[in-house]
Structures are given as C-alpha cells and as structure tokens.
Amino acid sequence: MTAFRPVLFALALLLFCGSPLPVLAASPETKEVVVYNWSEYIPQDVLDDFTKETGIKVVYSTFESNEAMYAKVKLLRGRDYDVVVPSTYFVELLREEKLIQPLDLSRISNFSNLDPSLLNQDYDPGNAYSIPYMCGIMGLAYNTKYIKPGTLTSWKDLLNPELKGKIILTDDLRDAFGLALLAQGHSVNSVDPAEIRQASEFLTRLKASVRVFDVTAIKQALISEEVWTGPIWNGDYLVAREENPDLAFLFPKEGGIPWVDSFVLTSGAANVENAYAFINYMLRPEVALRCMEEFKYTSPNLAAVNLLPPDLRQNPILLPGPEERTQAEYIGSIGKALDVYEKYWEQIKTLR
Amino acid sequence: MATNHSSRDSLFRTFSIAGSWLWLGLFALLPTVVLLLVAFLDRGEVGFFIPSLTLDNFRELFGPVFLSVLGDSLRLALLSTLVCLLVAYPFAYALAKANPRRRPWLLLLVIIPFWTNSLIRTYALILMIGAQGMVNKLGLALGLIDVPLEILYTDFAVFAGMTYTFLPFMILPLYASMEKLDPSLADAAKDLGAGALRTFWHITLPLTLPGVVAGCILVFLPSLGCFYIPEILGGATNMLLGTFIKNQFLVAKNWPLGAASSSVLTLFLVLLAVLYRFTSRRVAANMPLRASRNEE
C-alpha cells in the first residue's frame, strides 16, 4: 500500500494544479500580437520600432516550411497565433479548413500601396483572406568558377553528368516537383498521374547528382562552394552574391517558379485589433523598403519599390521583367493529387 | 524527537517521489501511450487521424521503404555506439585513475560541451569539415590535397557528428562505474598471479558492464532517432529514422504512420532497458561479498 502512496499523491497534485491553470493563463490584459513567420524574413529592428510606436509587443516565432507551419496552426485549431505568413497554396488550404478568417480590408489603409498585378489571384480571389508580404521567383544559381555562363539554360540541364554531386536541391516537395514538371513541359500544378510520374522519374535521375537537400540554408552551400548550382529564390541569391561574387543567376527558359507569401489572420486570433495594426504597419512604404533591403526579396509594395535606390530598382533579378513574371505560374492547391506527389517524394528521398 | 524526524523524512520522501511520478507520468508515460494509441488509428482526410482502428500502419513498417530506412539507421547507430565505446572506455579509465585533485577539472572538460546547444555545435562542425572549412584549408595549405575533400554532406560526416555529440553520454556512465571499482580486487588478482589482460577480462570488464550497457543505451537510442545531425551534416540525401518520423508528422501529414514508426524506437528502448536490468542484476549477484556489501 505504501508503494502506492506517492502515486495517489501525484494524482491529487495533478487535480489540484489542473483546475486553476486556465484562469491564470487568461487573466493579464497585455497588448501583444503573436506572429508566426518564415525565418529570416522581418528585421528585428522593424519589430522593435513597431513596439516602440504602438506599445504592442510582438511575440515572434518562425518556421522553415509551409508544411510545418500548417501542422502547427492546425494542431492549435487556429488559436494562439494571430498573424501567420503562408505561401499561396497554403492560403487556400488554411481557408478551406477554416483556420483563417476573412479580412476587413477597410481596416488596412496601406493596402493601396500594393502592386495590383499581384492582387486578386486564383489562390485568394479579391484578397478576402490574405495580404501579400513578399514575393519572388525561384530560378537557378550557379558558380561561374566551375560552370561557364551559357551552359545552363533549362531545368533539364541539371541532369548534365558533369554536375554529378555538385547540386543542391530544394527540400520543398512542391518546388522540387514544380521544376521537374516545368522541365517536362507540364504545369507546376499538374494532377495528371502520367505527368506526375514523368516528373518523379526526372527527380529520381536528378537525385543521383544531388549532394544535399535543403530549404533554408541553400545560400550557405553555394557561398562556401560546397555545391556548384541549384534552384534558389532570387532574393536569397542576391544575398549570397554579396558574399561570393562568382555566383550568377538565371531564369530557366521553361520559366521560374514564382511565390507569394501573405499575411493571414487566424480564425482563433485573440488580438485581432493588434494584428490589423501590425499588418498595416508592415505595409508602410518605408517599412517594406527596410525589409526588402535587408533580405533582398521583392516587395509587392509598389510605393516601397519606388523608394529603392536606382541601382536596385534596375536590378532584373530583384525586380524581374514582365516576361518572367507572366510566363510563370503560381503553385496552387492540387487537392488529393498531393498524396501522389508525397508518395513519389518519399520514394525519391529514401532511394539510395 | 526521533519519531518526529522520521515522519518528516517520510513526508519528504512521499513528496519527492510523487513529484517524479507526476513528472514522468505527465511528460513521458502519457505522451508515449497516446502516441501508441494513434498508431492504431487511420489516417484522416482533413484531421491528422480519424478514430477508426487499423493495423495498416504497422503493416507499412514491413514495407521496403521503412525497412531500408530502419536498416540504414541501425547500421549508423551501431557503428557510432561501437566507436564511442572504444574511445570512451580507455578515456573513462584514465579519468578514474587520474590524480583526485585533477579529476574534477578533467570531468569539467567532458561536461562543458553540454552547456552549448548541440545544434550549434553541429553547425560549428560545418566550419570544420566544409569545403572551405579548417580541415580542407589546412590540407590545401600543407599541400596534402589539391582539391577540397568532400566530407560535409556524406555518411561519414553524419557518423562523425553523432560520435562527437554523443561521446560524453558514453564517458559519464563508464566513469561512474569505474570510480566505484574497488582497487583491492585488481590488487588481489595481481597477487594471485593474473596478468594485466586477465585482470581486465575477469575483474574490470565484468564489474563495469552496467556502465558499458548504460553508456551504449544512452548513445544508441539518441543516434537511432536523431534527425538534426543527418539533416545538417548529411544533406538529407539518405533518409534516416528520425527524419522519416519527423516527415510523417510535418510533411506527409500521416500521424498514424509516424506514431507507428516511433513505436519502433520505444520498442528498442524497452528491450535495452530490460537488458540493462539483466546485466546489473547479474553483476550484483556475481560480485564478491565485500563489494556487494558496499553497494547496500
């Protein structure tokens, strides 16, 4: 019996502690906004300035992939976080699952700063749920020390045997399949089983040449010349080039893969008022400019783009011309076909 | 006075044991049980799982994908454990035999790396073994190599990273069991004419066996389930068990399969815990009278 005494005690303690906890957690009225964003995306001093100006504390945490973000938001049933920054097709998914709420655009006065050509897209008609924060295009970076300019023009050129063991490939399933589908002349959103199979065969062949899979540290591997080439977001490339001037960049002839990351408001947001204040602050031209200059992604904020120094404004990689932008297709929701992608991806990743 | 003292003692005892029960129950037992339950559920269309019972997830563990992942992980974990043991055993022995005044300092040197996050230490390894890392720069400067060696993003890098990270987990339990070693036993063996090798084989090794088993468990299990070292140093080109489980939860959204595959880790844990109990009991039973009286 004495052996059980500690167990009973533990249970009693649990009951005792369990009851008042929720009350304690909900009590203090603090002015804060809980933001869940990609890593390396908003400079810390921008967040600090927001708090200084409004008195709203920013509770900031980061993710490395849309999938991880989605799993967490879903697990919390849209609560706890206020503002999240998903990519295009995840805006669709979060909306379908009612994890985000419709926005009142009249409360976001700086919305008019945004580039109209990036608004009202298929993934969120009328921007009812999402406000673009940053955008860009995935192209191909390569090191001119090892690869002569002009050798690479197409995604298919990655299969070139001379590049064996010298490639870094994105670990993002949709991006990897996207470039494989483009290489085969298909849509990045293909749901045709035969086309998906073709793309997976392309990736299987490509895997033999891949030295490393990564998402967030792609630029480091290129800077340190661990690898010679690989798909990379244009903003990441511009940051990498500052550290290694031998790096060059191109949009493959089949087109790059464009993306947009947008602010959304979770369905269970506890600080709606503060979240609107935060989004509106981030859309100010001078704030958007600071974010753009720090991380070299393209801001959809036209007012901010106009404030750029002339050399950056004429940079065709930071601000690609209309031909790259119209040719490219956003990655969208593909419904059940995603299971097929995942199955193939798992096979490719476990392949020896 | 005496009864008062002992009742206060027993109250303290009840409290502290209750505390550990609470802790282990809430943060170890409960999650493991819940995870095991999820492994028997079906994959949901919208939710992470749906409440319909199935054995499909365990069936999938016998498919070629999981078996090859498990095989690779086991091989790597066993190799890391073996190398850790071979390095740590003489190290711990020297530590236990060191001058008692110097010993705390030597122990401190083993423990200090613990105070730095292992993720940071893993990233630091990139600076050592990368194409422009110290090893390659030194090799190039000395003319030993013409082109940088490809060390980073290979199986060897993963193995080296794991061995480096988990080595202290082997040293510390070994040191603990060697420190308890009664030197008079070795002296007695020598007096009776046993050579150094024989003394080691018949006295030192059997008595430090619980330390060996504990160290092996503490290195083997984390290296079997570790996901960040293979991802950072291995370039995620060969999927290992930890990454596989993580992907089921985060990428494939197949929680039941993730739960089933992590139950494999739990199974290894249980098996090894039984092994540990078995060896420490055997050692206690075979121990000479004087040593076992010290244990009591």
Side-chain angles (χ1 to χ4, degrees), chain A residues 258-319:
Chain A
W259 49 266
V260 179
D261 294 334
S262 307
F263 295 117
V264 297
L265 195 56
T266 58
S267 54
N271 309 293
V272 173
E273 196 76 33
N274 301 345
Y276 274 110
F278 176 77
I279 296 172
N280 206 26
Y281 177 85
M282 292 305 296
L283 294 189
R284 282 189 197 170
E286 62 281 6
V287 173
L289 178 71
R290 278 163 74 187
C291 300
M292 185 160 42
E293 286 186 320
E294 175 88 16
F295 296 116
K296 301 289 188 300
Y297 294 118
T298 317
S299 173
N301 198 315
L302 274 187
V305 170
N306 289 333
L307 294 175
L308 277 175
D311 58 316
L312 278 178
R313 213 182 320 162
Q314 259 126 52
N315 186 324
I317 296 171
L318 178 64
L319 299 166

Side-chain angles (χ1 to χ4, degrees), chain A residues 74 166 207 211 213 226 346, chain B residues 46 131 150 152 235 237 248:
Chain A
K74 191 171 160 79
K166 301 295 179 194
K207 175 160 182 195
R211 175 111 187 270
F213 285 94
E226 206 68 62
E346 200 171 274
Chain B
V46 256
E150 288 190 357
L152 189 60
T237 38
Q248 295 311 319

Side-chain angles (χ1 to χ4, degrees), chain B residues 136-178:
Chain B
N136 275 320
K137 276 206 175 131
L138 190 71
L140 289 169
L142 294 177
L144 296 173
I145 44 176
D146 298 328
V147 282
L149 295 174
E150 288 190 357
I151 312 173
L152 189 60
Y153 307 133
T154 61
D155 286 350
F156 176 77
V158 180
F159 158 72
M162 282 191 177
T163 313
Y164 162 69
T165 306
F166 298 127
L167 187 64
F169 293 93
M170 184 68 92
I171 293 177
L172 294 174
L174 279 175
Y175 169 73
S177 70
M178 284 177 191

Side-chain angles (χ1 to χ4, degrees), chain A residues 63 65 89 136 159 168 248 288 297:
Chain A
F63 54 85
S65 75
Y89 51 117
L159 291 179
I168 184 164
Y297 294 118

Side-chain angles (χ1 to χ4, degrees), chain B residues 34-52:
Chain B
V34 170
L35 207 60
L36 206 60
L37 288 179
V38 170
F40 287 97
L41 299 182
D42 208 353
R43 188 183 176 180
E45 200 121 294
V46 256
F48 290 120
F49 45 84
I50 46 173
S52 87

